């Protein structure tokens, strides 16, 4: 039998293989082209084109990442303290949200510094901020000692943390709310400063979300204070 038989039979039944549209070669070429473009973009990005330069150690991005880790660490500690002992369901939920959100943000900021090849500590707190930025922290516009710097950031003192650890019942709830509202209020100028001076898109995104979230939590805590009769 001639080998041309099946081909001829196929031709009589419909479109021949030679006339049938062949899409796979075009698809393959398109995929290769896309891959080539993606590779080129990756190489282009790897050399720093189209992306912000790695922040310097004294940059707003790095300073914010360091200082906000310190700030968040205390917030997580206070939130977990009240979470474990409050009998107020709304406060328990809020404190859990604060602890989990700020713990995740703290971890991400740690990773930023690692990816930038920068140390996790460097220089006094808020040294990356300008005098105008410090003005947002109230009367402690030009703090000098570490205690002053922490106070300017709205952080609790050791004595206040001890009092929170020892308090129980509604007094503990009210003390926590006082301390955390002040703590959140201290973070807002820091977020504003990096939003004005930062260069890293992810840093700016996190700072904006952090500011919005903490302002909302401040409102919620004021509401709980009123309900509990704290003031």
């Amino acid at each position: 039998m001639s080998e041309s038989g099946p081909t001829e039979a196929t031709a009589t039944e419909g479109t021949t293989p030679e006339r049938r549209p062949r899409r796979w070669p075009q698809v393959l070429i398109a995929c290769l082209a896309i891959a080539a473009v993606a590779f080129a973009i990756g190489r282009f990005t790897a050399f720093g084109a189209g992306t912000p330069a790695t922040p310097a150690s004294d940059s707003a991005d790095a300073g914010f990442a360091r200082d906000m880790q310190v700030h968040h660490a205390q917030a997580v500690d206070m939130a977990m303290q009240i979470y474990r002992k409050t009998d107020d369901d709304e406060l328990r939920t809020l404190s859990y949200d604060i602890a989990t959100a700020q713990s995740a943000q703290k971890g991400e900021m740690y990773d930023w510094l690692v990816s930038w090849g920068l140390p996790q500590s460097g220089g006094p707190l808020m040294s990356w901020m300008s005098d105008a930025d410090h003005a947002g922290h109230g009367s402690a516009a030009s703090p000098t000692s570490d205690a002053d710097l922490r106070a300017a950031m709205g952080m609790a003192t050791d004595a206040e943390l001890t009092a929170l650890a020892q308090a129980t019942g509604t007094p503990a709830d009210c003390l926590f709310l006082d301390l955390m509202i002040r703590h959140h209020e201290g973070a807002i100028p820091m977020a504003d400063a990096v939003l004005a001076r930062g260069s890293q898109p992810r840093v700016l995104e996190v700072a904006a979300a952090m500011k919005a979230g903490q302002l909302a939590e401040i409102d919620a805590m004021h509401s709980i204070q009123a309900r509990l009769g704290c003031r």
Side-chain angles (χ1 to χ4, degrees):
M1 179 182 292
S2 170
E3 295 181 359
S4 63
T7 302
E8 292 172 354
T10 303
T12 60
E13 294 172 3
T15 306
T16 64
E18 288 76 6
R19 294 179 183 176
R20 188 174 294 139
R22 295 185 179 183
R23 292 188 175 87
W24 282 111
Q26 290 89 334
V27 172
L28 179 59
I29 292 171
C31 290
L32 290 173
I34 292 171
V37 171
F39 176 77
I41 291 173
R43 297 286 291 177
F44 194 59
T45 301
F47 285 108
T51 59
T54 299
S57 191
D58 62 351
S59 66
D61 300 281
F64 175 80
R66 293 185 184 114
D67 289 359
M68 198 56 79
Q69 283 189 70
V70 174
H71 203 260
H72 275 18
Q74 188 180 84
V76 171
D77 178 60
M78 292 194 297
M80 288 308 299
Q81 281 196 51
I82 203 66
Y83 172 79
R84 286 190 290 265
K85 62 185 178 181
T86 186
D87 293 325
D88 188 271
D89 290 340
E90 185 180 5
L91 185 55
R92 174 180 280 267
T93 298
L94 177 64
S95 61
Y96 179 83
D97 289 344
I98 291 172
T100 53
Q102 295 207 14
S103 181
Q105 289 172 348
K106 181 175 177 290
E108 181 173 1
M109 290 183 285
Y110 181 94
D111 286 342
W112 292 344
L113 292 165
V114 171
S115 68
W116 299 334
L118 299 177
Q120 294 294 328
S121 61
L125 294 169
M126 299 194 295
S127 58
W128 57 278
M129 297 170 67
S130 71
D131 290 342
D133 297 328
H134 284 296
H137 287 99
S139 59
S142 299
T144 54
S145 69
D146 186 67
D148 287 340
L149 291 167
R150 287 174 175 270
M153 294 166 66
M155 297 180 68
T157 65
D158 289 343
E160 288 170 333
L161 292 174
T162 298
L164 179 62
Q166 295 175 347
T168 58
T170 299
D173 294 345
C174 291
L175 178 57
F176 168 79
L177 291 166
D178 278 340
L179 295 177
M180 192 59 77
I181 287 171
R182 189 180 77 199
H183 200 273
H184 273 22
E185 288 173 343
I188 304 304
M190 296 168 67
D192 284 337
V194 80
L195 288 169
R197 302 174 185 280
S199 64
Q200 300 296 306
R202 180 57 183 166
V203 174
L204 302 179
E205 179 183 359
V206 169
M210 188 183 299
K211 178 180 177 179
Q214 294 201 18
L215 286 172
E217 287 170 352
I218 288 171
D219 288 343
M221 287 188 283
H222 280 309
S223 177
I224 297 173
Q225 280 182 325
R227 177 171 56 77
L228 295 178
C230 295
R231 293 183 181 277

